[in-house]
Amino acid sequence: MAQEDVFKKLVSHCKEYGFVFPSSDIYDGLGAVYDYGQMGVELKNNIKQYWWQSMVLLHENIVGIDSAIFMHPTIWKASGHVDAFNDPLIDNRDSKKRYRADVLIEDQLAKYDDKINKEVAKAAKRFGEAFDEAQFRSTNGRVLEHQAKRDALHERFAKALNDNNLDELRQIILDEEIVCPISGTKNWTEVRQFNLMFKTFQGVTEDAKNTVYLRPETAQGIFTNFVNTQRTTRRKLPFGVCQIGKSFRNEITPGNFIFRVREFEQMELEFFCKPGTDLEWFQYWRTFCHNWLLGIGLKDENLRLRDHDPEELCFYSKATTDFEFLFPFGWGELWGVADRTDYDLTQHQNTSGVKMVYREGEGKDMVEYVPYVIEPSLGVERSVLAVLCDAYDEEVVGQDKKGNDDVRVVLHFHPALAPFKAAILPLSKKDVLAGPAMELYNELSKEFMVDYDETGSIGKRYRREDEIGTPFCITVDFDTVGDEAKGIAADNCVTVRDRDTMEQVRMPISELKSYIESKIEF
Ligand code: GAP
């Protein structure tokens, strides 16, 4: 099945099973804003909880905070967001569609990469085992031609971005003969800068003095609380402060479902360290993030680390690595790890007049300096989407009576992320089974999120649980409860069916809790 179709199915599955709904659905939705349903909120909370525990519980030198969304507007001036948090916009006059000029050029770069990769794939097929990819890439005429064009474009693009040269961005689009995907024409407007922050007003007067912004990142709430946190925790360097919270960006080209949205959550850590040790910590956090993503069950082959070229780095960053995930629509950034140097603390120190320093040593040996910062910043929505994409599967498990494939749709979540850990399914709705099944449900619900379902055939109920990714279905049957009248003793056992293998084991009820606990550990 084409990846596009897989993605469409996943999006409709999310709506159908209560993971993600378009926001304001009954009013035809609101562009690039989504709501989480009863399944989605559990999945999202489980991801956030695992992240928080990995940071705050497992690192004695990391604490968490929860700062406000509204902040003093000067913060965004100091951080550079008022002047530089812009996207270059271009419109096509014929389709009236608006694009990010940089994205149009990035897509063009990707086209050159595709051409090169196609040549390599063709040659690999032709030469079989004897194929030497490195040699082919460095000697094949067509590959070298595409590569030279790509490199020249990349260099020109990076320079235009660096110089903030909007005319040059437009000229690149014209020279590369990039057309609007809707109208197919090259009838482009000038390129303009567009600030991504949402503005509103505090108080009753709507004027510039009262402008406040919806924060576009949670990080600034951590930087501006640096002094408060360091003083009250009395932490020595290196130490980190993390938070999970909403961020807002007026994205010009949102899309790909919850990948790029206007209201989203970030899980950000600002790890403060001594200047000179920053690159070491940068490596530490790169490795940590990679392991964390594997820990939530993402497949390594769907992950890649992309180091930013020097000319691509943000103005505040010394080194940046993006963790990219292979979504059905292509590779996309999931987690950015950046060495933000002392940029933010210095900016806030200069703007507010408050010293943002760390004091090391005692008495006359004491030195003070502005710490450096390593920032791993992960989007909740993108994590949810990556987990859903990796988990979604359609398996042919047999044939129906007419000879058609019997397809099982299943979400293979890591059990710890699954919205429900188990489902209690009495074999019959009758009180004799429903009563004890409900008792078991009440007991296990004290420990885990558990579903209860007594309607439909057991096969249908298994499928419903597969579709929402419940790792264990627990069937209460007549052997479980016995029959006193007939002198048949209860065996106090249940059948546990595994979502992934579909295997069933008989197990004493008394062992269920520890069995599930052992399976839902990360
Ligand atoms: N404090 C650094 C920062 O905000 P970023 O690369 O702009 O860096 C960090 O954002 C992460 O936030 C991204 O890797 C992505 O996971 C998530 N993110 C950013 N913009 C987003 C959007 N419009 N929709 C969903 N997630 C987004």
Side-chain angles (χ1 to χ4, degrees), residues 217 249 251 259 261 266 268 333-334 340 375 377 379:
E217 62 170 13
R249 296 184 188 178
E251 298 282 0
F259 179 79
V261 282
Q266 289 183 310
E268 299 204 286
E333 179 190 331
L334 184 58
R340 282 179 87 130
E375 177 197 66
S377 172

Side-chain angles (χ1 to χ4, degrees), residues 8 32 73 81 95 106 183 195 211 234 259 281 295 361 444 469 518:
K8 273 190 199 146
H81 284 82
S95 66
E106 276 165 12
S183 66
N195 192 283
T211 299
R234 291 177 287 110
F259 179 79
W281 285 112
L444 287 181
S518 71

Side-chain angles (χ1 to χ4, degrees), residues 404-454:
N404 299 320
D405 285 347
D406 177 12
V407 180
R408 169 175 99 115
V409 175
V410 53
L411 294 176
H412 292 288
F413 293 133
H414 186 301
L417 296 186
F420 288 121
K421 306 303 177 220
I424 310 294
L425 315 174
L427 204 55
S428 140
K429 268 192 214 172
K430 287 187 185 144
D431 283 351
V432 61
L433 293 188
M438 190 44 90
E439 258 174 52
L440 181 56
Y441 167 81
N442 287 332
E443 204 46 42
L444 287 181
S445 291
K446 290 178 197 157
E447 313 291 333
F448 321 104
M449 279 293 293
V450 183
D451 195 14
Y452 181 89
D453 188 1
E454 58 178 24

Side-chain angles (χ1 to χ4, degrees), residues 31-33 76 81 85 87 100 194-199 214-219 246-254 259-266 268 316 333 340 375 377-379 382:
V33 186
W76 303 111
H81 284 82
F85 194 54
D87 276 345
R100 274 176 57 178
F194 175 78
N195 192 283
L196 298 184
M197 282 195 292
F198 280 100
K199 263 188 208 172
L214 297 188
R215 69 178 175 201
E217 62 170 13
T218 66
K246 288 260 183 180
S247 293
F248 304 82
R249 296 184 188 178
N250 198 2
E251 298 282 0
I252 305 162
T253 49
F259 179 79
R260 181 168 288 112
V261 282
R262 295 198 168 103
E263 174 179 342
F264 56 100
E265 277 184 282
Q266 289 183 310
E268 299 204 286
Y316 54 70
E333 179 190 331
R340 282 179 87 130
E375 177 197 66
S377 172
L378 174 62
R382 290 191 190 174

